[in-house]
Amino acid sequence: AVMRAFRVGAVLRRLNGVAGGCRAQHRQWRPMVNALQIGTHLSPEDIGELQAQSARILEDPICDVEVAKVPNFIVAREGPAWDERSVVDKAVWLVTEKFSEKRETTNRLTDLVLDRLQDEELRLLFRLDQGFNHTMYFMTIHAWLLHRRLILEGKEGYRIDDDLFESCWACTKQWMQVKKVKEFRFSAELRNTQEYMFTLMLSLDDTLDRADILAARMQLVLWANVYSGEPSRNAHFIVLLTKYILRQLSLILQLPAESVMEGRFKWADFNVTAVSKEKLEKRKALMKVYPYKLPVRRGEAVE
């Protein structure tokens, strides 16, 4: 746990080397962040409690991806590497394929986000139903993870980040159509949804300020936003979702720049044996059923 906390500290130093995160890109949303700013005006007792909970969370090795295992999650590029291409092949690529490759990168990153939404076992593990709110929040979490890595890559990373968010907005609009949001309410509902998305992302940004209480603050942010503060804040599934995000953050910050910038990687596996298949099936039977089915694949037709 001490070594994992040390690694988290190193990660934070790298993250905080880039000013702002979501805050730099979307300052206009800052006034909309709710009153729950975990980590501000904390008493020594509060800090001690958060430090203890963070230590308990980080004791689980599932929170971290070992350096030696990072290559397991890289998807190899098809065809010869750039350095192995002929001068003619490079010239042809620059003329005919460069811009289509940028579109493909955005598509691959969008597919990475949507892939998680299709994972029923993960959603059951975290008690995320198939409704609009939970689907939107789960998408936002993965968009935030990609965002935190992309902005480390400078101007081109920011451009890809913008394209990814545009793709997320397109998904959100499509889901609102499936929900049959009235036309006269559509713009207001979209803005309201964006406010909730940016509130979550800005709150997740805030958790990165201190390594010693990061995990516990993230747990509280998820409890207050994704779960609306309804279950116990120490519910097992909220702690699991916290560990899942820490694991993916650990992976994505260790990936080579080219793998991220081309969207050629896969999410870290998250195998939790403590929750049996039978328990997940029982949980599924208790999940709320919605009168609509949200399309969670790019290009999927709306029913």
Side-chain angles (χ1 to χ4, degrees), residues 56-87:
R56 284 191 289 270
I57 291 171
L58 291 172
E59 283 176 354
D60 192 338
I62 205 170
C63 294
D64 189 29
V65 175
E66 297 175 11
V67 176
K69 293 183 178 179
V70 170
N72 297 341
F73 305 107
I74 296 174
V75 177
R77 194 185 226 285
E78 295 180 4
W82 181 257
D83 292 340
E84 298 172 354
R85 299 185 189 186
S86 68
V87 174

Side-chain angles (χ1 to χ4, degrees), residues 90-122:
K90 289 180 180 179
V92 170
W93 183 85
L94 287 170
V95 173
T96 64
E97 298 182 33
K98 182 177 180 180
F99 295 105
S100 63
E101 178 66 22
K102 288 181 178 180
R103 287 195 299 271
E104 285 303 309
T105 293
T106 302
N107 289 341
R108 281 191 290 270
L109 290 173
T110 302
D111 287 342
L112 274 167
V113 172
L114 296 180
D115 171 74
R116 299 285 86 178
L117 309 187
Q118 300 164 34
D119 194 320
E120 184 181 35
E121 187 169 306
L122 267 185

Side-chain angles (χ1 to χ4, degrees), residues 144-211:
W144 176 79
L145 286 165
L146 295 174
H147 160 79
R148 290 303 322 188
R149 182 62 171 83
L150 286 167
I151 63 174
L152 297 176
E153 302 304 326
K155 182 178 179 180
E156 186 62 16
Y158 274 99
R159 186 199 63 76
I160 296 173
D161 190 45
D162 286 342
D163 291 344
L164 175 62
F165 276 108
E166 286 300 320
S167 186
C168 289
W169 301 149
C171 290
T172 303
K173 290 175 185 177
Q174 187 182 39
W175 296 341
M176 289 171 62
Q177 291 171 346
V178 172
K179 275 187 66 182
K180 301 189 185 312
V181 174
K182 300 295 184 183
E183 186 175 351
F184 72 92
R185 288 286 306 159
F186 200 89
S187 294
E189 287 294 330
L190 177 61
R191 181 176 176 81
N192 186 55
T193 299
Q194 289 173 329
E195 289 175 12
Y196 279 105
M197 292 173 74
F198 281 121
T199 294
L200 175 58
M201 288 189 287
L202 288 166
S203 298
L204 287 171
D205 274 351
D206 286 338
T207 68
L208 302 176
D209 292 341
R210 289 183 55 168

Side-chain angles (χ1 to χ4, degrees), residues 18-67:
V18 177
C22 291
R23 189 173 295 104
Q25 282 191 304
H26 309 289
R27 288 190 181 92
Q28 69 270 31
W29 298 101
R30 189 61 185 171
M32 300 169 184
V33 179
N34 59 26
L36 182 64
Q37 291 298 302
I38 308 299
T40 58
H41 310 297
L42 292 172
S43 68
E45 292 77 14
D46 293 329
I47 292 290
E49 182 181 339
L50 291 172
Q51 287 173 331
Q53 177 62 6
S54 290
R56 284 191 289 270
I57 291 171
L58 291 172
E59 283 176 354
D60 192 338
I62 205 170
C63 294
D64 189 29
V65 175
E66 297 175 11
V67 176

